[in-house]
Amino acid sequence: PCVCDPAKGTCDTTTGNCFPGSCVGNFGGPLCDQPLLDFDACPAGTMDAIVSALRTFYNNMDGPNWTNKNGWDNLGSTNPCADGWYGVECYPGNNCKILSIILPNNNLGLSAGRTEIDIDSLTALHALRVLDLSNNNIGGPLSQNIGYLRSLQSLLLHGNALTGIIPVTINLMKQLQYVDLSNNLFTGAMPYFDGSNAALMYIYLNDNML
């Protein structure tokens, strides 16, 4: 069982984990102290948190060398959707909800000193449905914290150089419908999918070292 701070998170009784706030258990770590964001409106500080998360992602993923970084490199921009950040899409009429980040074939990689893809920054985007970072230059392992992207429906990371095992925490992403991790360097046993994700329809793992 998990123990959650009600002001920061809720307990998932199915998995025994708290998302995305304080928790005690196997799925703890630095993300457990992040407060929940209210996306029904745009209260003070919410847009600042979104911009901060996206800028951190940009800085950690070798942003200055991206092929197209329109908006991401504009330090004066305070609204990713209204200001047209490349690859960022919001829900219609609500710029506090990031719907998708679509950056394929855009020369993303790991900044100096980074050893894995920056998933942690994206966990601040609680409404994110689509993440497409395919056909870039992203190496290193895929963080277990991918499981925090609990609203994600499509995860496309194919055509990179991701290594290590595929995190079992993908099972915690109950909205996930489409997964493409093909053409990477994943190793180990084939990932175990426990059948609890009824939404999952397609998963591509070909051309790895599984």
Side-chain angles (χ1 to χ4, degrees):
C2 54
V3 179
C4 296
D5 178 347
K8 294 183 177 180
T10 56
C11 183
D12 185 328
T13 56
T14 301
T15 63
N17 294 307
C18 302
F19 292 96
S22 280
C23 55
V24 176
N26 294 331
F27 206 60
L31 297 179
C32 292
D33 292 324
Q34 291 185 355
L36 291 170
L37 298 179
D38 178 7
F39 286 110
D40 293 332
C42 201
T46 301
M47 186 58 71
D48 290 342
I50 291 172
V51 171
S52 177
L54 292 176
R55 290 205 191 286
T56 300
F57 178 79
Y58 172 81
N59 290 330
N60 287 337
M61 299 301 295
D62 200 24
N65 290 315
W66 290 6
T67 303
N68 190 332
K69 49 183 180 286
N70 288 344
W72 296 81
D73 60 348
N74 180 1
L75 297 180
S77 174
T78 58
N79 190 319
C81 286
D83 295 341
W85 288 27
Y86 177 72
V88 177
E89 181 182 1
C90 290
Y91 284 79
N94 192 338
N95 286 342
C96 280
K97 283 188 173 183
I98 304 295
L99 172 66
S100 60
I101 296 177
I102 302 177
L103 297 169
N105 301 290
N106 202 44
N107 202 38
L108 275 70
L110 302 182
S111 296
R114 291 285 306 181
T115 58
E116 65 180 30
I117 183 174
D118 181 14
I119 294 297
D120 291 4
S121 295
L122 301 181
T123 61
L125 311 177
H126 299 163
L128 189 66
R129 295 290 189 269
V130 178
L131 179 62
D132 183 356
L133 307 179
S134 60
N135 297 312
N136 282 292
N137 303 309
I138 304 171
L142 180 58
S143 170
Q144 294 283 342
N145 289 339
I146 191 73
Y148 277 103
L149 302 180
R150 302 202 68 207
S151 295
L152 208 66
Q153 296 177 350
S154 296
L155 175 64
L156 297 93
L157 299 176
H158 55 281
N160 282 288
L162 294 167
T163 61
I165 63 171
I166 296 174
V168 295
T169 48
I170 286 180
N171 280 304
L172 302 177
M173 304 164 71
K174 304 303 182 186
Q175 304 299 316
L176 203 57
Q177 301 175 16
Y178 187 99
V179 180
D180 193 344
L181 303 178
S182 64
N183 289 283
N184 278 287
L185 300 171
F186 288 115
T187 56
M190 291 285 287
Y192 170 68
F193 293 94
D194 61 13
S196 63
N197 184 354
L200 188 60
M201 294 185 292
Y202 303 100
I203 181 164
Y204 297 96
L205 304 174
N206 53 286
D207 297 304
N208 278 288
M209 303 171 67
L210 301 171

